[in-house]
Amino acid sequence: MQTDIDPRSLIGRKAFDRNGAKIGTIDEVYLDDATGEPEWAAVRTGLFSRDAFVPLEPSEMVGDSLRIPYDRKLIKDAPDFGVGRHLSPEQELQLYHHYRLDISSPVSDSPSAAGESDFGRIAGADD
């Protein structure tokens, strides 16, 4: 994702999968506590649905929306940890496995011991 974008400006933007199918609206953005970089977004997937966590690193801004380079089904099947609190190291690991992302970089960048990085939320739609 572009690093010059204020993570708070993502709140309320539409998110689309790699084929252009609408996923939902970004509810919250989560920052890596160690680096302060935006790492995850919680996307509200529907009126009676839930939030799906998506990685921001391989995603990109296209116009006013976020393009997530995964299929809609994979995104909607992502673990739902609820919103409004930190992601634990275990939850982060589940997300990395779900999206088949390289887990070595957040662990090595973290000043904490062996993978104990935490992801804190910065803002949400209700803030």
Side-chain angles (χ1 to χ4, degrees):
M1 191 181 85
Q2 296 168 251
T3 57
D4 60 338
I5 293 178
D6 177 3
R8 286 182 176 87
S9 72
L10 293 174
I11 306 300
R13 292 191 187 217
K14 303 297 179 203
F16 296 87
D17 78 352
R18 69 178 178 188
N19 300 313
K22 183 179 174 190
I23 302 301
T25 304
I26 299 171
D27 253 356
E28 295 188 350
V29 174
Y30 291 75
L31 303 180
D32 182 313
D33 284 344
T35 66
E37 294 295 318
E39 296 286 333
W40 301 98
V43 177
R44 174 72 50 180
T45 60
L47 185 60
F48 298 106
S49 272
R50 60 187 197 70
D51 283 280
F53 284 82
V54 298
L56 291 173
E57 176 49 41
S59 302
E60 64 181 349
M61 291 302 300
V62 177
D64 285 339
S65 60
L66 183 69
R67 177 69 54 98
I68 305 158
Y70 297 98
D71 286 326
R72 182 179 186 181
K73 180 171 178 12
L74 181 69
I75 295 166
K76 288 195 170 207
D77 288 344
D80 179 11
F81 304 118
V83 294
R85 56 184 174 252
H86 275 68
L87 292 177
S88 72
E90 294 80 17
Q91 291 168 330
E92 172 199 0
L93 190 58
Q94 286 179 38
L95 290 169
Y96 271 85
H97 285 296
H98 179 77
Y99 288 106
R100 295 185 174 101
L101 294 169
D102 178 16
I103 61 171
S104 63
S105 81
V107 172
S108 63
D109 289 342
S110 174
S112 305
E116 300 212 356
S117 58
D118 244 354
F119 289 90
R121 90 187 246 286
I122 63 156
D126 297 331
D127 291 344

